[in-house]
Amino acid sequence: MRTLSSFLSGTWQPGSTDRTTVLYNPATEEPLAQVGRATDLDKAVAYARNVGGPALRALSFGERGAILKQMAGLLHEHREELIAVSIASGGTTRGDAKFDIDGATGVLATYARLARDLGDKPWVVLDEPAALVRTSKIRAQHVLVPRHGLAIHINAFNFPAWGMIGKAAVSLLAGMPVLSKPGTSTSLLAHRIAELIVEAKLLPEGAFSLLMGSAGDLLDHVGPQDVIAFTGSAYTGALIRGHQKVVAENVRVNIEADSVNAVVAGPDLESDSELFDLFIRDCVTEITQKAGQKCTATRRILVPSKILDEVQEELVERLDEKANQTGNPATKGVRMGPLATKRQLQDAREGLKKLAKDAPIIRGNPERGEFIDVEDGKGYFLEPILLRATPEAARNPNAQFHQTEVFGPVSTLLPYDGSLAQAREIIGYGGGSLVTTVYSDDRKFVAGTVAELGPYLGRLVVADEKSAGGSFAPGCVFPQAQHGGPGRAGCGAELGGRLGLELYMQRTAIQGGASQLARLFGKPKSSD
Ligand code: NAP
């Protein structure tokens, strides 16, 4: 069987094959490849830091941006091949594969464009000089400079392309070399992208490394200039944050973890509106896209009690359609594929048992075994599942649908009284989420959500009748908007245009005479 090598210290290394992990096609259970255990991670980290770092920092923002643009072109050129790899190794439909791969290309293109505004100095100026005391010419001003360490990216299995490239684009533009570790089960796609990047020789030596398989002793080699950006479960996030070396060296850590995202139908939402259609469409997308294996997927649907039955009827009808289109994603007409691994399927079924204690299943059979073009009993399939809570259960902070993220095509309808206070209360029970969409034309309600729901969210989407035709589902993450969320969601923040660079750069205050600062950073726009 083919063994996928890591790219470390500037060479492809198969690693030790004494303990290998096999990757499977999740629709057919056919073995695809294996990965070994990488060794000499201390050397790989030092090489990336000491060879890749200086080489990358020697380039201007503009030059680094030009590389990102070429990388975007490279992914686009190989798009069809990458889609095929994604379908086979990730169980994605063609649409899901495009979402991941085009998403990666989009981040590269966005940060390539952003580079044009960053100037040709080795820093980014953040603000205007501020006088320290009225009678003095001494000023303080803040800049961002690239950190002199390594950006270690540990990614989840669900977005092998976007996860790896989205993080890499920002680090590389900031001037930090990257060591990327994909989630092992779907890492065939990340591996192919890495091969393309390495073969194309677009990046300076040492600027990009790939670690296949387990992280091993990687974190034992981190230092105070490094950054760890992690995406995955809250459990692993806590292990990483609490790792002895990470704590001892005060390594900067960004965690993107699980999230029980909610959407809110506003008190004014009516069934014969375009906004209602958008609401239903978004819910279906967020339940079924990537078979619900998205950190941003909608897990809780808040609906005013008065329209709950109508919402249920519409949603069930649309999910029935999707259930009949679930199967082998390589087959034409299939609209939803399997979960990525046997373990994910087991976890999702276990999680559903917990959820069902607090809200009965009203659509779907977690044990269903027959799907389109799939050998009976084969593959890791779960059909769309909808649950419905009572108003009392919805307001129980300990209810499992507030606590447990079932990483599959699963969501729960939660009735509420249509008030902002109750929406805030119920959303808050999730402990901090990545994203919420509010569907409403009630201006007072919408204005209230910013301050009332904002503290619990990384991103708030406000959808109204006027924008309904062009609105994007909440799970669609654009690089211009921040991705991350407070509390349970990991308390991290990535992307967000220029803001995203801050993760990989040091903010330093430069204090000195007004003329000195003007020479370094340009004349201030305002003179005080
Ligand atoms: P996971 O099991 O926590 O794994 C995530 C990554 O961490 C994988 O690369 C994994 O490697 C690695 N890892 C595991 N143990 C480690 C350790 N002790 N030290 C260092 N790295 C370690 O999560 P997953 O199952 O891949 O992903 C699903 C979860 O990710 C869901 O809960 C989902 O909500 C969350 N997620 C969050 C976001 C977000 O942006 N907030 C995005 C996507 C997914 P192996 O694969 O080799 O085990």
Side-chain angles (χ1 to χ4, degrees):
M1 192 187 311
R2 183 179 169 210
T3 301
L4 303 176
S5 294
S6 295
F7 186 71
L8 300 169
S9 304
T11 57
W12 288 101
Q13 303 179 6
S16 155
T17 47
D18 57 352
R19 221 178 36 213
T20 55
T21 306
V22 177
L23 315 187
Y24 296 93
N25 178 323
T28 63
E29 299 185 33
E30 174 204 354
L32 299 172
Q34 64 178 5
V35 293
R37 186 173 47 84
T39 52
D40 295 333
L41 292 180
D42 52 340
K43 294 195 184 90
V45 165
Y47 181 84
R49 215 186 262 141
N50 301 330
V51 176
L56 210 48
R57 293 194 298 276
L59 303 176
S60 67
F61 285 109
E63 287 167 324
R64 298 198 288 259
I67 294 175
L68 298 188
K69 190 173 172 193
Q70 287 174 296
M71 286 169 71
L74 185 70
L75 291 201
H76 192 66
E77 195 184 316
H78 291 269
R79 185 170 181 255
E80 286 305 318
E81 178 201 346
L82 296 175
I83 288 172
V85 175
S86 174
I87 292 171
S89 61
T92 56
T93 61
R94 187 178 163 80
D96 292 343
K98 286 195 286 188
F99 190 62
D100 185 22
I101 293 158
D102 293 345
T105 309
V107 183
L108 286 166
T110 301
Y111 276 86
R113 276 196 300 277
L114 201 137
R116 295 198 297 242
D117 302 329
L118 295 176
D120 53 6
K121 296 281 195 301
W123 53 68
V124 177
V125 178
L126 285 178
D127 54 9
E128 295 273 293
L132 302 186
V133 287
R134 199 190 283 265
T135 50
S136 157
K137 287 243 179 273
I138 302 297
R139 306 273 187 271
Q141 197 165 5
H142 294 89
V143 295
L144 293 176
V145 284
R147 293 166 72 95
H148 283 189
L150 174 63
I152 294 175
H153 295 161
I154 301 177
N155 280 306
F157 72 84
N158 58 340
F159 282 102
W162 179 80
M164 177 170 82
I165 293 298
K167 282 182 168 61
V170 187
S171 314
L172 293 170
L173 181 59
M176 276 194 93
V178 169
L179 186 150
S180 187
K181 187 210 125 26
T184 299
S185 57
T186 58
S187 55
L188 194 59
L189 177 59
H191 186 268
R192 182 60 194 135
I193 293 174
E195 277 183 337
L196 292 172
I197 291 172
V198 172
E199 278 165 18
K201 292 190 181 348
L202 300 176
L203 283 161
E205 178 80 27
F208 178 80
S209 306
L210 177 77
L211 170 58
M212 296 295 289
S214 130
D217 63 359
L218 176 66
L219 298 184
D220 292 341
H221 312 299
V222 292
Q225 284 284 313
D226 296 338
V227 174
I228 301 172
F230 166 80
T231 298
S233 62
Y235 174 78
T236 312
L239 280 184
I240 289 174
R241 208 194 285 280
H243 186 279
Q244 203 183 1
K245 192 78 191 306
V246 173
V247 173
E249 300 281 357
N250 276 318
V251 179
R252 185 179 286 178
V253 181
N254 191 78
I255 307 268
E256 303 288 359
D258 49 12
S259 174
V260 277
N261 308 292
V263 292
V264 182
D268 55 317
L269 191 66
E270 284 177 359
S271 54
D272 57 347
S273 63
E274 211 177 319
L275 192 58
F276 184 86
D277 292 345
L278 174 73
F279 170 66
I280 298 291
R281 207 165 55 236
D282 280 0
C283 287
V284 173
T285 299
E286 292 306 327
I287 293 170
T288 59
Q289 192 172 47
K290 294 194 107 260
Q293 298 166 106
K294 289 194 311 185
C295 50
T296 47
T298 299
R299 310 290 178 199
R300 299 176 297 159
I301 305 171
L302 274 69
V303 183
S305 298
K306 61 180 185 192
I307 59 161
L308 188 64
D309 288 338
E310 269 173 282
V311 167
Q312 175 176 328
E313 198 181 319
E314 280 288 327
L315 259 183
V316 167
E317 194 180 314
R318 300 284 296 280
L319 291 175
D320 283 350
E321 266 171 48
K322 289 281 180 182
N324 292 332
Q325 297 166 332
T326 300
N328 188 335
T331 302
K332 217 169 168 212
V334 165
R335 295 278 175 271
M336 196 177 92
L339 302 191
T341 63
K342 192 175 192 168
R343 176 70 199 271
Q344 287 298 323
L345 178 59
Q346 280 165 355
D347 286 354
R349 285 180 173 155
E350 284 305 311
L352 266 167
K353 281 185 193 148
K354 288 194 201 168
L355 258 53
K357 284 186 188 149
D358 292 317
I361 293 174
I362 54 168
R363 205 233 87 76
N365 169 12
E367 303 297 328
R368 178 180 153 192
E370 282 174 28
F371 295 92
I372 299 169
D373 212 10
V374 176
E375 209 183 306
D376 231 11
K378 281 274 182 200
Y380 315 130
F381 290 91
L382 183 67
E383 69 165 323
I385 308 279
L386 190 66
L387 304 94
R388 174 173 168 163
T390 61
E392 295 72 37
R395 298 188 67 190
N396 172 8
N398 300 317
Q400 284 298 320
F401 42 77
H402 295 313
Q403 306 297 330
T404 302
E405 180 204 44
V406 177
F407 212 54
V410 175
S411 198
T412 306
L413 287 169
L414 305 181
Y416 81 113
D417 66 3
S419 72
L420 187 55
Q422 220 174 79
R424 188 204 64 76
E425 176 193 326
I426 294 174
I427 284 192
Y429 292 152
S433 309
L434 293 170
V435 61
T436 278
T437 296
V438 172
Y439 301 83
S440 178
D441 276 293
D442 179 330
R443 290 186 182 180
K444 196 165 163 226
F445 184 84
V446 172
T449 60
V450 176
E452 288 298 310
L453 305 188
Y456 300 91
L457 305 172
R459 184 160 52 93
L460 172 65
V461 183
V462 285
D464 59 6
E465 184 75 12
K466 200 169 166 194
S467 66
S471 184
F472 299 101
C476 206
V477 177
F478 288 93
Q480 294 84 350
Q482 156 183 285
H483 176 62
R488 173 187 184 137
C491 203
E494 293 185 305
L495 300 172
R498 187 187 277 225
L499 293 173
L501 295 173
E502 297 198 6
L503 180 56
Y504 301 103
M505 303 182 88
Q506 177 62 34
R507 185 172 65 214
T508 307
I510 312 292
Q511 191 175 314
S515 54
Q516 171 78 294
L517 293 188
R519 265 195 301 279
L520 284 170
F521 306 129
K523 266 180 103 126
K525 288 192 194 92
S526 62
S527 54
D528 48 4

